[in-house]
PDB file of all heavy atoms in Angstrom:
ATOM      1  N   GLY A   1      35.051 118.160  -0.353  1.00 96.00           N
ATOM      2  CA  GLY A   1      34.417 117.290   0.579  1.00 96.00           C
ATOM      3  C   GLY A   1      33.249 116.482   0.047  1.00 96.00           C
ATOM      4  O   GLY A   1      32.377 116.116   0.761  1.00 96.00           O
ATOM      5  N   ILE A   2      33.284 116.265  -1.210  1.00 98.00           N
ATOM      6  CA  ILE A   2      32.215 115.493  -1.938  1.00 98.00           C
ATOM      7  C   ILE A   2      30.887 116.180  -1.742  1.00 98.00           C
ATOM      8  O   ILE A   2      29.983 115.679  -1.081  1.00 98.00           O
ATOM      9  CB  ILE A   2      32.204 114.054  -1.504  1.00 98.00           C
ATOM     10  CG1 ILE A   2      33.577 113.438  -1.504  1.00 98.00           C
ATOM     11  CG2 ILE A   2      31.292 113.222  -2.472  1.00 98.00           C
ATOM     12  CD1 ILE A   2      34.290 113.455  -2.796  1.00 98.00           C
ATOM     13  N   ILE A   3      30.776 117.417  -2.234  1.00 98.00           N
ATOM     14  CA  ILE A   3      29.578 118.237  -2.153  1.00 98.00           C
ATOM     15  C   ILE A   3      28.667 117.913  -3.312  1.00 98.00           C
ATOM     16  O   ILE A   3      29.034 118.104  -4.462  1.00 98.00           O
ATOM     17  CB  ILE A   3      29.851 119.705  -2.063  1.00 98.00           C
ATOM     18  CG1 ILE A   3      30.922 120.051  -1.024  1.00 98.00           C
ATOM     19  CG2 ILE A   3      28.573 120.496  -1.842  1.00 98.00           C
ATOM     20  CD1 ILE A   3      30.543 119.624   0.417  1.00 98.00           C
ATOM     21  N   VAL A   4      27.440 117.394  -3.051  1.00 98.00           N
ATOM     22  CA  VAL A   4      26.526 117.013  -4.112  1.00 98.00           C
ATOM     23  C   VAL A   4      25.577 118.138  -4.390  1.00 98.00           C
ATOM     24  O   VAL A   4      24.881 118.633  -3.476  1.00 98.00           O
ATOM     25  CB  VAL A   4      25.788 115.721  -3.731  1.00 98.00           C
ATOM     26  CG1 VAL A   4      24.787 115.352  -4.847  1.00 98.00           C
ATOM     27  CG2 VAL A   4      26.705 114.561  -3.438  1.00 98.00           C
ATOM     28  N   MET A   5      25.556 118.567  -5.647  1.00 97.00           N
ATOM     29  CA  MET A   5      24.711 119.607  -6.080  1.00 97.00           C
ATOM     30  C   MET A   5      23.297 119.303  -6.118  1.00 97.00           C
ATOM     31  O   MET A   5      22.892 118.253  -6.651  1.00 97.00           O
ATOM     32  CB  MET A   5      25.195 120.008  -7.533  1.00 97.00           C
ATOM     33  CG  MET A   5      24.553 121.161  -8.213  1.00 97.00           C
ATOM     34  SD  MET A   5      25.122 121.274  -9.943  1.00 97.00           S
ATOM     35  CE  MET A   5      26.769 121.810  -9.702  1.00 97.00           C
ATOM     36  N   PRO A   6      22.350 120.159  -5.594  1.00 97.00           N
ATOM     37  CA  PRO A   6      20.927 119.948  -5.696  1.00 97.00           C
ATOM     38  C   PRO A   6      20.426 119.847  -7.108  1.00 97.00           C
ATOM     39  O   PRO A   6      20.959 120.602  -7.994  1.00 97.00           O
ATOM     40  CB  PRO A   6      20.305 121.116  -4.938  1.00 97.00           C
ATOM     41  CG  PRO A   6      21.391 121.637  -4.118  1.00 97.00           C
ATOM     42  CD  PRO A   6      22.656 121.406  -4.867  1.00 97.00           C
ATOM     43  N   GLU A   7      19.456 119.046  -7.418  1.00 97.00           N
ATOM     44  CA  GLU A   7      18.963 118.918  -8.807  1.00 97.00           C
ATOM     45  C   GLU A   7      18.420 120.216  -9.334  1.00 97.00           C
ATOM     46  O   GLU A   7      17.699 120.975  -8.587  1.00 97.00           O
ATOM     47  CB  GLU A   7      17.801 117.852  -8.794  1.00 97.00           C
ATOM     48  CG  GLU A   7      17.358 117.493 -10.173  1.00 97.00           C
ATOM     49  CD  GLU A   7      16.272 116.458 -10.083  1.00 97.00           C
ATOM     50  OE1 GLU A   7      16.034 115.867  -9.020  1.00 97.00           O
ATOM     51  OE2 GLU A   7      15.613 116.196 -11.155  1.00 97.00           O
ATOM     52  N   GLY A   8      18.801 120.510 -10.548  1.00 98.00           N
ATOM     53  CA  GLY A   8      18.355 121.698 -11.249  1.00 98.00           C
ATOM     54  C   GLY A   8      19.279 122.793 -11.323  1.00 98.00           C
ATOM     55  O   GLY A   8      19.170 123.678 -12.197  1.00 98.00           O
ATOM     56  N   TYR A   9      20.305 122.789 -10.526  1.00 98.00           N
ATOM     57  CA  TYR A   9      21.289 123.914 -10.561  1.00 98.00           C
ATOM     58  C   TYR A   9      22.085 123.818 -11.783  1.00 98.00           C
ATOM     59  O   TYR A   9      22.287 124.875 -12.458  1.00 98.00           O
ATOM     60  CB  TYR A   9      22.180 123.844  -9.274  1.00 98.00           C
ATOM     61  CG  TYR A   9      23.126 125.034  -9.229  1.00 98.00           C
ATOM     62  CD1 TYR A   9      22.703 126.308  -8.955  1.00 98.00           C
ATOM     63  CD2 TYR A   9      24.466 124.920  -9.526  1.00 98.00           C
ATOM     64  CE1 TYR A   9      23.601 127.346  -8.920  1.00 98.00           C
ATOM     65  CE2 TYR A   9      25.381 125.934  -9.515  1.00 98.00           C
ATOM     66  CZ  TYR A   9      24.875 127.212  -9.206  1.00 98.00           C
ATOM     67  OH  TYR A   9      25.782 128.274  -9.227  1.00 98.00           O
ATOM     68  N   LEU A  10      22.650 122.637 -12.111  1.00 98.00           N
ATOM     69  CA  LEU A  10      23.540 122.589 -13.342  1.00 98.00           C
ATOM     70  C   LEU A  10      22.731 123.053 -14.573  1.00 98.00           C
ATOM     71  O   LEU A  10      23.289 123.752 -15.410  1.00 98.00           O
ATOM     72  CB  LEU A  10      24.019 121.165 -13.489  1.00 98.00           C
ATOM     73  CG  LEU A  10      25.123 120.985 -14.567  1.00 98.00           C
ATOM     74  CD1 LEU A  10      26.401 121.683 -14.125  1.00 98.00           C
ATOM     75  CD2 LEU A  10      25.346 119.443 -14.823  1.00 98.00           C
ATOM     76  N   ARG A  11      21.519 122.563 -14.739  1.00 98.00           N
ATOM     77  CA  ARG A  11      20.741 122.940 -15.863  1.00 98.00           C
ATOM     78  C   ARG A  11      20.506 124.507 -15.890  1.00 98.00           C
ATOM     79  O   ARG A  11      20.612 125.085 -16.870  1.00 98.00           O
ATOM     80  CB  ARG A  11      19.337 122.271 -15.810  1.00 98.00           C
ATOM     81  CG  ARG A  11      18.248 122.790 -16.751  1.00 98.00           C
ATOM     82  CD  ARG A  11      18.588 122.935 -18.158  1.00 98.00           C
ATOM     83  NE  ARG A  11      19.058 121.701 -18.742  1.00 98.00           N
ATOM     84  CZ  ARG A  11      19.487 121.568 -20.010  1.00 98.00           C
ATOM     85  NH1 ARG A  11      19.535 122.693 -20.741  1.00 98.00           N
ATOM     86  NH2 ARG A  11      19.803 120.455 -20.542  1.00 98.00           N
ATOM     87  N   GLY A  12      20.300 125.063 -14.697  1.00 98.00           N
ATOM     88  CA  GLY A  12      20.181 126.497 -14.593  1.00 98.00           C
ATOM     89  C   GLY A  12      21.390 127.248 -15.041  1.00 98.00           C
ATOM     90  O   GLY A  12      21.353 128.333 -15.643  1.00 98.00           O
ATOM     91  N   VAL A  13      22.516 126.809 -14.617  1.00 98.00           N
ATOM     92  CA  VAL A  13      23.816 127.346 -14.967  1.00 98.00           C
ATOM     93  C   VAL A  13      23.978 127.351 -16.529  1.00 98.00           C
ATOM     94  O   VAL A  13      24.381 128.331 -17.072  1.00 98.00           O
ATOM     95  CB  VAL A  13      25.045 126.614 -14.311  1.00 98.00           C
ATOM     96  CG1 VAL A  13      26.358 127.081 -14.885  1.00 98.00           C
ATOM     97  CG2 VAL A  13      25.002 126.857 -12.780  1.00 98.00           C
ATOM     98  N   ARG A  14      23.653 126.221 -17.105  1.00 98.00           N
ATOM     99  CA  ARG A  14      23.809 126.130 -18.579  1.00 98.00           C
ATOM    100  C   ARG A  14      22.929 127.122 -19.215  1.00 98.00           C
ATOM    101  O   ARG A  14      23.382 127.777 -20.196  1.00 98.00           O
ATOM    102  CB  ARG A  14      23.433 124.742 -18.973  1.00 98.00           C
ATOM    103  CG  ARG A  14      23.278 124.487 -20.577  1.00 98.00           C
ATOM    104  CD  ARG A  14      24.649 124.541 -21.252  1.00 98.00           C
ATOM    105  NE  ARG A  14      25.027 125.877 -21.645  1.00 98.00           N
ATOM    106  CZ  ARG A  14      26.139 126.181 -22.372  1.00 98.00           C
ATOM    107  NH1 ARG A  14      26.903 125.250 -22.760  1.00 98.00           N
ATOM    108  NH2 ARG A  14      26.476 127.461 -22.611  1.00 98.00           N
ATOM    109  N   GLU A  15      21.698 127.292 -18.761  1.00 98.00           N
ATOM    110  CA  GLU A  15      20.789 128.236 -19.415  1.00 98.00           C
ATOM    111  C   GLU A  15      21.315 129.671 -19.223  1.00 98.00           C
ATOM    112  O   GLU A  15      21.182 130.452 -20.143  1.00 98.00           O
ATOM    113  CB  GLU A  15      19.388 128.081 -18.796  1.00 98.00           C
ATOM    114  CG  GLU A  15      18.810 126.711 -19.238  1.00 98.00           C
ATOM    115  CD  GLU A  15      17.441 126.435 -18.499  1.00 98.00           C
ATOM    116  OE1 GLU A  15      17.097 127.206 -17.584  1.00 98.00           O
ATOM    117  OE2 GLU A  15      16.833 125.406 -18.813  1.00 98.00           O
ATOM    118  N   LEU A  16      21.789 129.968 -18.064  1.00 98.00           N
ATOM    119  CA  LEU A  16      22.299 131.348 -17.851  1.00 98.00           C
ATOM    120  C   LEU A  16      23.549 131.674 -18.688  1.00 98.00           C
ATOM    121  O   LEU A  16      23.653 132.794 -19.219  1.00 98.00           O
ATOM    122  CB  LEU A  16      22.554 131.526 -16.382  1.00 98.00           C
ATOM    123  CG  LEU A  16      21.396 131.674 -15.401  1.00 98.00           C
ATOM    124  CD1 LEU A  16      21.796 131.700 -13.954  1.00 98.00           C
ATOM    125  CD2 LEU A  16      20.485 132.887 -15.768  1.00 98.00           C
ATOM    126  N   CYS A  17      24.455 130.710 -18.789  1.00 98.00           N
ATOM    127  CA  CYS A  17      25.615 130.880 -19.640  1.00 98.00           C
ATOM    128  C   CYS A  17      25.251 131.141 -21.064  1.00 98.00           C
ATOM    129  O   CYS A  17      25.780 131.992 -21.761  1.00 98.00           O
ATOM    130  CB  CYS A  17      26.535 129.693 -19.479  1.00 98.00           C
ATOM    131  SG  CYS A  17      27.459 129.621 -17.951  1.00 98.00           S
ATOM    132  N   THR A  18      24.244 130.432 -21.554  1.00 98.00           N
ATOM    133  CA  THR A  18      23.745 130.613 -22.911  1.00 98.00           C
ATOM    134  C   THR A  18      23.130 131.941 -23.093  1.00 98.00           C
ATOM    135  O   THR A  18      23.375 132.716 -24.048  1.00 98.00           O
ATOM    136  CB  THR A  18      22.727 129.494 -23.214  1.00 98.00           C
ATOM    137  OG1 THR A  18      23.339 128.231 -23.162  1.00 98.00           O
ATOM    138  CG2 THR A  18      22.260 129.670 -24.696  1.00 98.00           C
ATOM    139  N   THR A  19      22.304 132.330 -22.159  1.00 98.00           N
ATOM    140  CA  THR A  19      21.583 133.614 -22.174  1.00 98.00           C
ATOM    141  C   THR A  19      22.500 134.825 -22.226  1.00 98.00           C
ATOM    142  O   THR A  19      22.371 135.764 -22.972  1.00 98.00           O
ATOM    143  CB  THR A  19      20.671 133.760 -21.005  1.00 98.00           C
ATOM    144  OG1 THR A  19      19.656 132.755 -21.049  1.00 98.00           O
ATOM    145  CG2 THR A  19      19.931 135.164 -21.019  1.00 98.00           C
ATOM    146  N   TYR A  20      23.562 134.713 -21.450  1.00 98.00           N
ATOM    147  CA  TYR A  20      24.542 135.824 -21.274  1.00 98.00           C
ATOM    148  C   TYR A  20      25.832 135.681 -22.101  1.00 98.00           C
ATOM    149  O   TYR A  20      26.786 136.443 -21.874  1.00 98.00           O
ATOM    150  CB  TYR A  20      24.771 136.152 -19.846  1.00 98.00           C
ATOM    151  CG  TYR A  20      23.557 136.622 -19.093  1.00 98.00           C
ATOM    152  CD1 TYR A  20      22.782 135.822 -18.336  1.00 98.00           C
ATOM    153  CD2 TYR A  20      23.264 137.979 -19.137  1.00 98.00           C
ATOM    154  CE1 TYR A  20      21.625 136.263 -17.706  1.00 98.00           C
ATOM    155  CE2 TYR A  20      22.132 138.510 -18.467  1.00 98.00           C
ATOM    156  CZ  TYR A  20      21.289 137.617 -17.758  1.00 98.00           C
ATOM    157  OH  TYR A  20      20.219 138.120 -17.155  1.00 98.00           O
ATOM    158  N   ASP A  21      25.853 134.756 -23.021  1.00 98.00           N
ATOM    159  CA  ASP A  21      26.995 134.536 -23.934  1.00 98.00           C
ATOM    160  C   ASP A  21      28.284 134.363 -23.176  1.00 98.00           C
ATOM    161  O   ASP A  21      29.323 135.038 -23.417  1.00 98.00           O
ATOM    162  CB  ASP A  21      27.094 135.758 -24.845  1.00 98.00           C
ATOM    163  CG  ASP A  21      27.791 135.429 -26.153  1.00 98.00           C
ATOM    164  OD1 ASP A  21      27.851 134.211 -26.464  1.00 98.00           O
ATOM    165  OD2 ASP A  21      28.221 136.299 -26.851  1.00 98.00           O
ATOM    166  N   VAL A  22      28.272 133.454 -22.189  1.00 98.00           N
ATOM    167  CA  VAL A  22      29.492 133.030 -21.421  1.00 98.00           C
ATOM    168  C   VAL A  22      29.684 131.561 -21.666  1.00 98.00           C
ATOM    169  O   VAL A  22      28.708 130.752 -21.583  1.00 98.00           O
ATOM    170  CB  VAL A  22      29.239 133.343 -19.881  1.00 98.00           C
ATOM    171  CG1 VAL A  22      30.334 132.704 -19.078  1.00 98.00           C
ATOM    172  CG2 VAL A  22      29.250 134.934 -19.710  1.00 98.00           C
ATOM    173  N   LEU A  23      30.895 131.192 -21.917  1.00 98.00           N
ATOM    174  CA  LEU A  23      31.173 129.782 -22.185  1.00 98.00           C
ATOM    175  C   LEU A  23      31.036 128.987 -20.794  1.00 98.00           C
ATOM    176  O   LEU A  23      31.437 129.497 -19.706  1.00 98.00           O
ATOM    177  CB  LEU A  23      32.587 129.567 -22.687  1.00 98.00           C
ATOM    178  CG  LEU A  23      32.867 130.227 -24.091  1.00 98.00           C
ATOM    179  CD1 LEU A  23      34.286 129.950 -24.538  1.00 98.00           C
ATOM    180  CD2 LEU A  23      31.908 129.766 -25.115  1.00 98.00           C
ATOM    181  N   MET A  24      30.607 127.749 -20.912  1.00 99.00           N
ATOM    182  CA  MET A  24      30.548 126.884 -19.722  1.00 99.00           C
ATOM    183  C   MET A  24      31.605 125.740 -19.875  1.00 99.00           C
ATOM    184  O   MET A  24      31.551 124.997 -20.871  1.00 99.00           O
ATOM    185  CB  MET A  24      29.148 126.288 -19.677  1.00 99.00           C
ATOM    186  CG  MET A  24      28.952 125.359 -18.459  1.00 99.00           C
ATOM    187  SD  MET A  24      27.279 124.616 -18.412  1.00 99.00           S
ATOM    188  CE  MET A  24      27.476 123.503 -17.020  1.00 99.00           C
ATOM    189  N   ILE A  25      32.427 125.620 -18.914  1.00 99.00           N
ATOM    190  CA  ILE A  25      33.414 124.571 -18.872  1.00 99.00           C
ATOM    191  C   ILE A  25      33.015 123.593 -17.718  1.00 99.00           C
ATOM    192  O   ILE A  25      32.885 123.999 -16.631  1.00 99.00           O
ATOM    193  CB  ILE A  25      34.836 125.090 -18.597  1.00 99.00           C
ATOM    194  CG1 ILE A  25      35.260 126.187 -19.612  1.00 99.00           C
ATOM    195  CG2 ILE A  25      35.821 123.980 -18.483  1.00 99.00           C
ATOM    196  CD1 ILE A  25      36.542 126.918 -19.270  1.00 99.00           C
ATOM    197  N   ALA A  26      32.822 122.363 -18.112  1.00 98.00           N
ATOM    198  CA  ALA A  26      32.506 121.367 -17.093  1.00 98.00           C
ATOM    199  C   ALA A  26      33.768 120.479 -16.819  1.00 98.00           C
ATOM    200  O   ALA A  26      34.265 119.856 -17.757  1.00 98.00           O
ATOM    201  CB  ALA A  26      31.371 120.410 -17.625  1.00 98.00           C
ATOM    202  N   ASP A  27      34.227 120.532 -15.614  1.00 98.00           N
ATOM    203  CA  ASP A  27      35.418 119.776 -15.246  1.00 98.00           C
ATOM    204  C   ASP A  27      34.911 118.433 -14.705  1.00 98.00           C
ATOM    205  O   ASP A  27      34.476 118.282 -13.625  1.00 98.00           O
ATOM    206  CB  ASP A  27      36.141 120.563 -14.089  1.00 98.00           C
ATOM    207  CG  ASP A  27      37.384 119.721 -13.604  1.00 98.00           C
ATOM    208  OD1 ASP A  27      37.605 118.627 -14.043  1.00 98.00           O
ATOM    209  OD2 ASP A  27      38.053 120.266 -12.760  1.00 98.00           O
ATOM    210  N   GLU A  28      35.011 117.407 -15.603  1.00 98.00           N
ATOM    211  CA  GLU A  28      34.526 116.038 -15.276  1.00 98.00           C
ATOM    212  C   GLU A  28      35.766 115.102 -15.023  1.00 98.00           C
ATOM    213  O   GLU A  28      35.684 113.938 -15.282  1.00 98.00           O
ATOM    214  CB  GLU A  28      33.742 115.480 -16.427  1.00 98.00           C
ATOM    215  CG  GLU A  28      32.412 116.183 -16.549  1.00 98.00           C
ATOM    216  CD  GLU A  28      31.173 115.324 -16.425  1.00 98.00           C
ATOM    217  OE1 GLU A  28      31.322 114.328 -15.678  1.00 98.00           O
ATOM    218  OE2 GLU A  28      30.098 115.660 -16.892  1.00 98.00           O
ATOM    219  N   VAL A  29      36.866 115.666 -14.592  1.00 98.00           N
ATOM    220  CA  VAL A  29      38.077 114.842 -14.403  1.00 98.00           C
ATOM    221  C   VAL A  29      37.757 113.813 -13.297  1.00 98.00           C
ATOM    222  O   VAL A  29      38.084 112.616 -13.438  1.00 98.00           O
ATOM    223  CB  VAL A  29      39.297 115.702 -13.971  1.00 98.00           C
ATOM    224  CG1 VAL A  29      40.419 114.880 -13.481  1.00 98.00           C
ATOM    225  CG2 VAL A  29      39.677 116.666 -15.096  1.00 98.00           C
ATOM    226  N   ALA A  30      37.066 114.228 -12.205  1.00 98.00           N
ATOM    227  CA  ALA A  30      36.731 113.240 -11.186  1.00 98.00           C
ATOM    228  C   ALA A  30      35.389 112.564 -11.447  1.00 98.00           C
ATOM    229  O   ALA A  30      35.240 111.371 -11.158  1.00 98.00           O
ATOM    230  CB  ALA A  30      36.671 113.990  -9.838  1.00 98.00           C
TER     231      ALA A  30
END
């Protein structure tokens, strides 16, 4: 439904994935 993410969340996800050694996949198809 075109949900817009609040600012800061994506950066936080990246940092957590790095900290916990989990790969981050960004689906930018749309």
Side-chain angles (χ1 to χ4, degrees):
I2 316 300
I3 308 301
V4 179
M5 181 187 289
E7 185 178 350
Y9 183 75
L10 188 68
R11 164 54 57 184
V13 169
R14 172 68 275 182
E15 291 172 354
L16 288 173
C17 285
T18 301
T19 298
Y20 291 97
D21 205 18
V22 168
L23 299 181
M24 179 183 177
I25 302 170
D27 179 356
E28 294 241 25
V29 172

